Amino acid sequence: MLLKHALLPSWRPLAHQHLRTYSASAVYRRLKLAYDLHEPPKDAGPKNAPIVFIHGLFGSKKNNRSMTHLDIQDLRNHGDSPHDPRHDYTVLAEDVEGFIDEHKLENSTLIGHSMGAKTAMVVALRQRKPIANLISVDNAPIDAALKSDFAKYARGMRAIEDANVTKQSDADAILQSYEPTLATRQFLLTNLICASDGTRKFRIPIKYIANALDDMADFPFRDPDEVRFEKPTLFVRGTKSPYIADETLPIIGRFFPRFELADVDSGHWVISEKPAEFKRAVVEFLQDKQ
């Protein structure tokens, strides 16, 4: 999604057996991404550079509408964007680069959460588009096994489809066996739609996502001596989340030497758990870059 600056007044790292240089391979088939554009008020003053906001796994452009004046984007296999069997950070980054080209965006700030954070990092490190700033929300530029919750969510969503339920409440009842937290179940069920036969189906292709979970744990760059993003970068960390541990900070600093760290007292779902604190961290970072 795009945000206009006018609004401003337990994992374990996977062992690295060797350094793997990212390959600048040919561009794959880019998908045209769905998005919602929310312009700032006409009396908000001159427009500044846009912010491209990228959601996380199982998310969509619906999830962050509480962030005023956001322009919200769906990644492939999510929300209203097209589906494709390939789902890894190379093609996710190329889709975002295509979005930047399509909308002729210059000097954007990228904000990404979770899967979207790694996607944004890859776009920045590829250096194929004029990115001004980067904000990574609760993810780090490393190979790190995903929490087992994500595979569990995929199994629960498959169970809902297999049951051919016709009511949201029945879907929620099934999902309770896989996820006890109501807020998380509600988040996952935002992807549920009514099919033509009256049953509830997920708008995201569960099989594609389930097959891609290992790729979502990966990070395609291994050697920060070969590629860096030298522009201002903010890492927003949920202090109750395992995804940006203290031991990852040195590697973050090597890939992103101008990075700043903002801690928010939350779990992994930083934006929905603590929206005011998240917005404050973003605003302070971007105001300083004006």
Side-chain angles (χ1 to χ4, degrees):
M1 63 181 142
L2 309 176
L3 163 69
K4 300 298 184 179
H5 290 191
L7 75 89
L8 304 173
S10 153
W11 66 265
R12 290 291 182 270
L14 302 181
H16 287 178
Q17 301 297 327
H18 60 277
L19 292 177
R20 181 183 64 190
T21 303
Y22 182 79
S23 173
S25 57
V27 173
Y28 296 93
R29 182 173 73 92
R30 288 174 172 171
L31 300 186
K32 188 171 183 177
L33 304 179
Y35 72 100
D36 287 340
L37 174 63
H38 300 277
E39 294 278 6
K42 293 182 179 179
D43 59 357
K47 296 180 183 178
N48 292 298
I51 298 175
V52 180
F53 200 113
I54 310 169
H55 62 78
L57 191 62
F58 299 121
S60 76
K61 56 187 172 61
K62 294 181 178 181
N63 299 137
N64 300 296
R65 286 175 173 171
S66 61
M67 298 287 109
T68 310
H69 308 312
L70 293 181
D71 192 359
I72 309 166
Q73 174 195 80
D74 286 332
L75 291 175
R76 65 169 54 203
N77 296 320
H78 288 74
D80 296 322
S81 286
H83 298 171
D84 190 272
R86 182 164 179 185
H87 193 92
D88 57 51
Y89 289 116
T90 297
V91 293
L92 291 172
E94 288 180 352
D95 288 345
V96 173
E97 290 167 354
F99 181 86
I100 291 171
D101 283 342
E102 178 187 358
H103 298 281
K104 299 179 172 58
L105 304 180
E106 295 289 337
N107 296 317
S108 302
T109 292
L110 300 187
I111 302 180
H113 170 249
S114 193
M115 174 185 72
K118 279 190 172 180
T119 300
M121 285 185 264
V122 172
V123 172
L125 291 171
R126 281 159 61 97
Q127 300 181 31
R128 298 183 180 183
K129 302 301 167 190
I131 306 304
N133 305 292
L134 171 67
I135 300 176
S136 171
V137 185
D138 214 52
N139 217 335
I142 58 172
D143 283 358
L146 295 181
K147 290 176 63 179
S148 61
D149 291 351
F150 289 100
K152 185 172 61 175
Y153 298 157
R155 292 196 300 272
M157 295 162 87
R158 278 181 168 174
I160 290 169
E161 291 198 332
D162 290 344
N164 292 317
V165 300
T166 58
K167 296 188 295 185
Q168 188 94 353
S169 58
D170 291 339
D172 182 66
I174 292 172
L175 199 55
Q176 287 181 37
S177 299
Y178 299 86
E179 172 52 54
T181 305
L182 175 61
T184 303
R185 295 200 308 273
Q186 290 175 332
F187 163 73
L188 295 171
L189 292 174
T190 60
N191 292 291
L192 204 61
I193 59 174
C194 187
S196 58
D197 62 357
T199 62
R200 299 300 177 103
K201 302 296 182 185
F202 286 95
R203 70 172 70 236
I204 60 177
I206 305 301
K207 181 178 180 180
Y208 293 169
I209 297 300
N211 290 342
L213 290 178
D214 287 344
D215 289 323
M216 295 297 93
D218 196 8
F219 191 70
F221 292 99
R222 294 295 179 86
D223 189 355
D225 291 329
E226 294 189 358
V227 59
R228 292 187 182 91
F229 182 69
E230 304 276 359
K231 296 179 181 179
T233 302
L234 175 67
F235 278 77
V236 181
R237 173 169 64 174
T239 56
K240 298 175 183 176
S241 169
Y243 285 102
I244 305 182
D246 287 343
E247 54 264 34
T248 67
L249 299 181
I251 193 68
I252 289 173
R254 292 180 66 196
F255 277 119
F256 304 99
R258 295 180 63 186
F259 93 97
E260 302 171 30
L261 181 67
D263 282 340
V264 175
D265 182 23
S266 75
H268 181 59
W269 311 102
V270 179
I271 301 169
S272 59
E273 291 180 45
K274 294 294 179 70
E277 290 86 342
F278 168 74
K279 187 173 180 178
R280 185 181 309 117
V282 170
V283 167
E284 289 176 357
F285 174 75
L286 293 178
Q287 279 182 328
D288 184 52
K289 306 303 178 292
Q290 296 297 299

